[in-house]
Amino acid sequence: MSELQFNYYAQSCPKAEEIIKQQVVQLYYKHGNTAVSWVRNLFHDCAVKSCDASLLLETVTGVASEQASERSFGMRNFKYVSTIKAALEAECPLKVSCADIVALSAREGIVMLGGPRIPIKTGRRDSRVSYLAEVEKFIPNHNDSIATALSVFNSIGIDDEGVVALYGAHSVGRVHCANLVHRLYPTVDPTLNPVYAEYLKGRCPTPDPDPDAVVYARNDRETPMILDNNYYKNIINHKGLLIVDQQLASDPRTTPFVQKMAADNSYFHEQFSRAIALLSENNPLTGDQVLCANIEIKSCKTVQLNQKRRAKRGGQPPATLPKVKDIVPRTVVLSHLPYSYYRGVKLIWKDSFLGSDTSPLLPLPLPLSPPQIFDTPHTTN
């Protein structure tokens, strides 16, 4: 299929969406903050180039992860994406893309936060490329103006009303003091409510907080883990944590929408649903856009082999699976699949033919033979 669609996995993995839901619920009751992480993952993945799970690619030699960007400060819980992935692999191996896991976990996370259940299409493919250089273009800084934020979101097809709705996600979670002390020191931002400013100073007592310390403030003190319209009520009363929050309530392009969402939670949820659906469909990789690797590892990380080694093998995989070290998780599958959905950690090849070079470069070419399982070791070696 070359387009996103509802129930994409109806035939290949009928229980996929239910499994993701179950895992999100279980993780929420163990680690409530995962629900906020799923929403932020969707934004950071889909706003940068494409909804393609490129956010999940880890840094390897010569290739820096999008997670390394300052704009990704405070993001966490990536390890639990692999928890969801493992549950899916147990049900239907090599079927569900990591990009769809990002989108569907966000949908279920929003429900756990008291938000609406949003219809989300599926069928995304996974990127083999990290777009660190693009992150700053598409992820607004905490201190950017609302004009900049509108421009960025408009460029990916989200209108001003949708932008206002997306910022409603700030009604949940928290902001590290490092991102808001400039509004408190050396003098308090005059647009801040004085009482709220005192609360913020209590949460952030110094102008230079340790970025590694757990020092933060919440935008919504009344319902900090409920996705509701209190955010809009707060910014109307000059209780926005960030500059962009406060400007949202004062810019003539956005003020009418802020006022309407503050007055009607159902309207906020309706517009939030629309904006999330638009965001989740931003320029996805679909169909045969990612024909690539022969080495598939059941994890949402990255595996890349260099072109020189590929040429030595004449473009074909070895007859048997070489020994592999440091595999996470512990199952390795060598397959001839038409699409590369899955990512693993850097491989260290031990056979005499390939040597032990670990420099990650290009994926292998697409072979023409049908899928084959050569070996499935269950322990690291």
Side-chain angles (χ1 to χ4, degrees):
M1 297 298 181
S2 60
E3 301 292 338
L4 296 181
Q5 58 186 278
F6 293 115
N7 300 315
Y8 177 84
Y9 298 104
Q11 298 300 319
S12 62
C13 190
K15 296 182 180 179
E17 296 194 21
E18 183 60 29
I19 289 172
I20 292 173
K21 176 182 177 180
Q22 291 172 356
Q23 290 297 313
V24 167
V25 171
Q26 290 175 19
L27 287 165
Y28 174 81
Y29 286 115
K30 289 182 181 178
H31 315 281
N33 58 27
T34 54
V36 180
S37 296
W38 306 141
V39 181
R40 193 176 179 194
N41 283 353
L42 180 73
F43 169 54
H44 278 254
D45 185 40
C46 291
V48 179
K49 297 286 281 188
S50 171
C51 294
D52 57 8
S54 61
L55 172 69
L56 302 178
L57 291 171
E58 295 187 337
T59 296
V60 291
T61 306
V63 183
S65 169
E66 292 170 26
Q67 298 173 27
S69 170
E70 289 186 3
R71 303 292 168 89
S72 299
F73 175 72
M75 295 191 74
R76 52 186 173 158
N77 292 325
F78 293 116
K79 62 184 179 181
Y80 295 125
V81 178
S82 292
T83 300
I84 299 174
K85 178 65 173 172
L88 288 165
E89 289 301 305
E91 174 69 20
C92 40
L94 305 176
K95 291 295 187 292
V96 183
S97 69
C98 297
D100 279 338
I101 292 174
V102 170
L104 293 173
S105 63
R107 178 182 71 182
E108 303 304 334
I110 288 167
V111 172
M112 298 308 296
L113 293 168
R117 184 172 179 80
I118 303 169
I120 295 290
K121 294 179 180 179
T122 44
R124 298 164 186 79
R125 301 289 191 257
D126 292 338
S127 174
R128 307 187 309 275
V129 181
S130 183
Y131 300 105
L132 176 63
E134 303 291 320
V135 174
E136 292 190 9
K137 296 179 184 178
F138 295 102
I139 304 295
N141 185 278
H142 289 91
N143 301 321
D144 282 344
S145 67
I146 188 59
T148 298
L150 290 174
S151 176
V152 169
F153 282 108
N154 292 167
S155 72
I156 60 173
I158 299 176
D159 58 20
D160 291 354
E161 188 174 23
V163 175
V164 174
L166 285 178
Y167 270 101
H170 285 186
S171 70
V172 294
R174 59 197 189 184
V175 174
H176 196 286
C177 288
N179 291 320
L180 57 90
V181 288
H182 61 283
R183 302 192 70 198
L184 303 173
Y185 306 100
T187 58
V188 173
D189 183 335
T191 65
L192 269 176
N193 179 298
V195 175
Y196 189 60
E198 286 304 310
Y199 156 73
L200 294 179
K201 279 192 169 184
R203 299 295 305 176
C204 308
T206 66
D208 54 348
D210 180 357
D212 295 324
V214 184
V215 285
Y216 62 87
R218 298 189 183 276
N219 213 325
D220 182 0
R221 298 166 63 190
E222 296 179 9
T223 55
M225 291 297 288
I226 301 295
L227 188 68
D228 59 19
N229 64 342
N230 272 352
Y231 166 77
Y232 303 101
K233 297 174 183 179
N234 287 335
I235 61 177
I236 287 174
N237 291 319
H238 297 276
K239 295 180 180 179
L241 274 181
L242 306 173
I243 290 175
V244 70
D245 294 322
Q246 203 53 62
Q247 289 187 357
L248 202 67
S250 58
D251 191 285
R253 291 167 291 184
T254 54
T255 298
F257 302 126
V258 169
Q259 293 173 339
K260 192 172 181 180
M261 291 181 196
D264 187 343
N265 193 58
S266 295
Y267 168 71
F268 159 54
H269 279 180
E270 175 187 325
Q271 294 303 315
F272 186 77
S273 296
R274 181 179 68 88
I276 287 291
L278 286 172
L279 180 63
S280 73
E281 295 175 20
N282 178 40
N283 192 35
L285 298 175
T286 59
D288 60 358
Q289 290 178 280
V290 281
L291 301 176
C292 66
N294 300 332
I295 301 295
E296 303 289 351
I297 299 210
K298 298 179 181 179
S299 174
C300 293
K301 297 182 181 178
T302 184
V303 60
Q304 295 173 305
L305 302 177
N306 75 31
Q307 192 173 26
K308 183 177 180 181
R309 278 180 272 165
R310 181 175 64 179
K312 283 183 177 180
R313 291 200 303 272
Q316 296 300 319
T320 58
L321 185 67
K323 293 182 178 181
V324 177
K325 183 180 180 181
D326 298 331
I327 298 301
V328 180
R330 294 187 296 262
T331 303
V332 183
V333 178
L334 180 60
S335 61
H336 292 191
L337 295 176
Y339 305 117
S340 177
Y341 279 65
Y342 314 102
R343 302 185 168 87
V345 294
K346 180 169 59 180
L347 302 184
I348 301 178
W349 297 92
K350 292 290 189 176
D351 68 337
S352 59
F353 185 67
L354 296 177
S356 60
D357 180 20
T358 63
S359 58
L361 290 174
L362 299 177
L364 294 169
L366 176 71
L368 300 177
S369 55
Q372 301 176 49
I373 300 290
F374 287 100
D375 195 8
T376 54
H378 292 280
T379 58
T380 56
N381 183 11

